[in-house]
Amino acid sequence: MAVLPLKYVGEAVLRRKADKVAQVDKPLARLLDDMVETMYAANGIGLAGPQIGVSRRILVVDAGDGPIQLVNPRIVDHKGRQMGTEGCLSIPAVYGEVERWKEIVVKGLNAEGEPVIYEADGLLSVVFQHEIDHLDGRLFTDLAVGLIDAEAIERDHEEEEEEEE
Ligand code: ZN
């Protein structure tokens, strides 16, 4: 397995609609394993293909119950709404409140090409929706209210301290 370089906001691949995977094969399964390793190395809880420069409909998530690898994911049912704070490995140090579906049902294929179905709520539901958005070229900052730039806050704070001196 290998840790792959991440793509950051401003790169075109993050705004492209990713292509559907026609066939799940060995190289794709290896790529999904590399994505899991990359996600863990970056302390992330989700990673989508475009974030490693691969414009294909693939994602990995781990919301605390172990890694899930999903190919051609689609939300087939949803219920309720929830607000939560989100960040993104491709947009370092920026956070914001995003409204999402509360409960979702996601269908797709696993790394063996077999159909799988996940009923998700809470954090797992949010991560799935965030990563599926990546496959459509959408970033959480498009949806977020009250964006917080942690680095800007730190800079402002440092400037204030300098002024006080
Ligand atoms: Zn993201």
Side-chain angles (χ1 to χ4, degrees), residues 51 87-90 130-131 134 140:
Q51 292 183 279
C88 180
L89 293 178
S90 295
H130 177 119
E131 302 310 329
H134 273 300
F140 87 94

Side-chain angles (χ1 to χ4, degrees), residues 89-123:
L89 293 178
S90 295
I91 314 172
V94 175
Y95 303 90
E97 296 290 311
V98 181
E99 189 179 352
R100 301 279 189 189
W101 301 118
K102 190 170 188 308
E103 297 169 41
I104 56 169
V105 179
V106 183
K107 278 187 178 176
L109 302 173
N110 66 15
E112 282 79 48
E114 300 157 347
V116 287
I117 184 161
Y118 290 96
E119 290 179 23
D121 63 10
L123 184 60

Side-chain angles (χ1 to χ4, degrees), residues 2-96:
V3 173
L4 307 166
L6 291 172
K7 298 291 178 188
Y8 295 99
V9 64
E11 304 212 43
V13 67
L14 289 175
R15 289 305 191 179
R16 203 174 296 150
K17 190 172 165 68
D19 296 325
K20 202 170 172 191
V21 173
Q23 200 187 338
V24 181
D25 51 19
K26 278 265 161 61
L28 187 78
R30 271 199 294 276
L31 180 64
L32 286 163
D33 285 343
D34 287 346
M35 286 174 67
V36 169
E37 192 173 348
T38 303
M39 170 178 72
Y40 289 149
N43 292 315
I45 56 174
L47 189 69
Q51 292 183 279
I52 47 147
V54 176
S55 196
R56 303 176 77 187
R57 303 189 78 79
I58 51 176
L59 62 81
V60 299
V61 307
D62 187 342
D65 294 316
I68 295 171
Q69 301 171 320
L70 209 49
V71 176
N72 297 337
R74 56 198 177 89
I75 297 167
V76 296
D77 201 5
H78 52 74
K79 200 164 77 180
R81 302 291 282 172
Q82 64 180 342
M83 286 291 285
T85 307
E86 293 184 27
C88 180
L89 293 178
S90 295
I91 314 172
V94 175
Y95 303 90

